[in-house]
Amino acid sequence: GPELIAVPNLAGMTLADAQDALLDENLRPSFRYEASLDVAEGLVITSEPESGSELEEREKVTLVISAGPEEDPIPNVTNLDIEAARAQLASAGFVVGTETLQDSQDIEEGIVIGQQPSAGTEAAPGTEVQLIVSSGPRFLTMPDLEGVPRTPAEEELTRLGFTDIVVEEDFSNDMLEGIVIVSDPAASQLAERDETITIFVSKGPEPFPLPDFTAKSVPEANSLAVERGLTLVVDPETVEVTLSSGLVGMIAAQSPPAGSEVVFGDEIHVRLGVLLQVEVPDLEGMTEEEARAALLDRGLTLNVVGTIEVPPESGLEGLVAAQNPEPGDMVDDGSGVTVDIGVVTPEEPPPDDG
């Protein structure tokens, strides 16, 4: 019978080369396309019948040509969070390429805001899809943290997306220790996410040395106390003071003492001076000088008002013979004691009968 021709191995050839090879063998080429992942577009995948088959002259051989991989539309992954976007692309046979972060004032962090190629583009499996992901807003509104404890304040800033939070401590008469006094930037201001946000936290009031309230009147002391943020309490107990001290009716004692460390809001207790009460000594029989010295010893003064007649045998001639107030009486410090000096009237000599 007629001589048979073996179909040559054409896999991997271009369409044109494969057609020429078949014509050289006196075979009649035709072709069709088929999608292929492994064989590049335009090259022969196989032939029908396959290579090695024996045919008669002029019989037909169909070349199966690669149309390249089968293409599918790329899914739309914008507005998904990045995890969901990666999963959806992978299940559709695509590969996630680079993920670029970009600020977005309206779209929260971690949401896909762009893709390349765009959704619906026909592409072969394994095609890389580049994603643009929101890094959240660049500008955030500062919350009002005044009066908030330190830890919740820091947590709130972190939750809002601020990344650089600094805590400074300051004395404050208005805020308890550990409470936020103010922030910088201030409440309601727009701030960049990565700028330094400082919160000033109270250390409580600043201690200061207590002023000296002694020798002041109550109104004077009160205005000084108010100026320093202290509360003045006038105790009912009093302090006995001498007239010369100048403290009668004034503040004579304070607790805590002057110079003690106090803080805003502390109570200061004071006591007023009242005149010391002194017992009058018995001056009878003293010289004027002795009486003056005895009184001076007790903070009293001597007033000599005159003389008083005393019997000769009294021994009080030229000495203190009477006093007012009486010995043992209690008088104000600085009071005067009046005395009379004894005099003896010489007896008239008996009339001389002579």
Side-chain angles (χ1 to χ4, degrees):
E3 192 179 332
L4 295 176
I5 303 158
V7 176
N9 183 0
L10 306 167
M13 287 188 182
T14 62
L15 172 56
D17 288 349
Q19 284 175 317
D20 288 347
L22 289 173
L23 292 169
D24 287 348
E25 298 287 351
N26 275 331
L27 296 171
R28 199 154 47 84
S30 76
F31 62 91
R32 66 183 172 79
Y33 283 95
E34 198 173 279
S36 165
L37 282 176
D38 314 316
V39 178
E41 189 175 345
L43 301 186
V44 175
I45 301 169
T46 185
S47 60
E48 294 169 354
E50 52 194 36
S51 65
S53 307
E54 301 203 321
L55 303 179
E56 294 182 7
E57 268 187 41
R58 314 273 310 132
E59 277 198 73
K60 186 174 83 165
V61 175
T62 303
L63 296 167
V64 181
I65 307 297
S66 169
E70 194 165 347
E71 297 200 329
D72 286 312
I74 293 177
N76 182 4
V77 294
T78 56
N79 299 322
L80 296 181
D81 73 71
I82 185 64
E83 296 295 334
R86 289 178 190 142
Q88 192 165 327
L89 287 170
S91 71
F94 298 105
V95 174
V96 177
T98 54
E99 294 174 4
T100 309
L101 290 175
Q102 187 176 301
D103 293 325
S104 164
Q105 212 40 48
D106 326 304
I107 296 173
E108 64 180 277
E109 190 177 349
I111 301 293
V112 176
I113 52 180
Q115 65 181 73
Q116 189 59 42
S118 55
T121 305
E122 297 279 336
T127 299
E128 276 199 358
V129 181
Q130 323 300 334
L131 299 179
I132 298 171
V133 182
S134 169
S135 53
R138 175 162 169 209
F139 290 96
L140 303 169
T141 304
M142 280 294 292
D144 183 357
L145 299 173
E146 184 182 329
V148 176
R150 171 181 174 157
T151 304
E154 289 183 88
E155 286 167 354
E156 176 64 1
L157 288 169
T158 303
R159 187 187 71 74
L160 289 171
F162 290 108
T163 55
D164 183 12
I165 302 161
V166 174
V167 177
E168 300 264 351
E169 293 197 327
D170 256 344
F171 290 113
S172 165
N173 294 337
D174 310 315
M175 291 293 177
L176 293 172
E177 192 175 340
I179 302 292
V180 176
I181 307 164
V182 70
S183 63
D184 177 25
S188 307
Q189 290 195 339
L190 279 184
E192 291 198 39
R193 229 179 4 198
D194 53 1
E195 79 178 80
T196 302
I197 308 296
T198 307
I199 55 175
F200 294 88
V201 173
S202 172
K203 293 199 276 192
E206 182 168 13
F208 60 92
L210 180 62
D212 189 352
F213 289 98
T214 53
K216 295 189 189 307
S217 68
V218 172
E220 277 177 331
N222 207 44
S223 54
L224 175 59
V226 168
E227 185 187 305
R228 298 301 179 87
L230 304 170
T231 305
L232 192 72
V233 178
V234 180
D235 287 341
E237 297 82 24
T238 52
V239 181
E240 287 201 323
V241 293
T242 61
L243 185 64
S244 62
S245 70
L247 296 177
V248 178
M250 305 299 240
I251 291 171
Q254 69 179 68
S255 170
S260 309
E261 286 256 295
V262 291
V263 295
F264 184 90
D266 279 357
E267 265 192 8
I268 310 305
H269 286 258
V270 296
R271 291 186 289 160
L272 296 179
V274 294
L275 203 48
L276 180 66
Q277 297 298 297
V278 182
E279 187 178 342
V280 177
D282 185 354
L283 305 175
E284 189 175 303
M286 294 185 180
T287 64
E288 190 182 323
E289 285 314 305
E290 287 168 343
R292 194 180 299 286
L295 290 175
L296 189 60
D297 240 13
R298 305 209 176 183
L300 302 173
T301 57
L302 179 70
N303 300 319
V304 179
V305 287
T307 57
I308 187 171
E309 199 154 320
V310 292
E313 68 277 12
S314 67
L316 293 174
E317 189 178 358
L319 303 176
V320 173
Q323 70 178 76
N324 182 32
E326 296 292 323
D329 283 1
M330 300 302 288
V331 296
D332 287 346
D333 176 71
S335 301
V337 177
T338 60
V339 297
D340 293 292
I341 301 298
V343 291
V344 175
T345 306
E347 285 179 32
E348 293 286 326
D352 192 3
D353 293 340

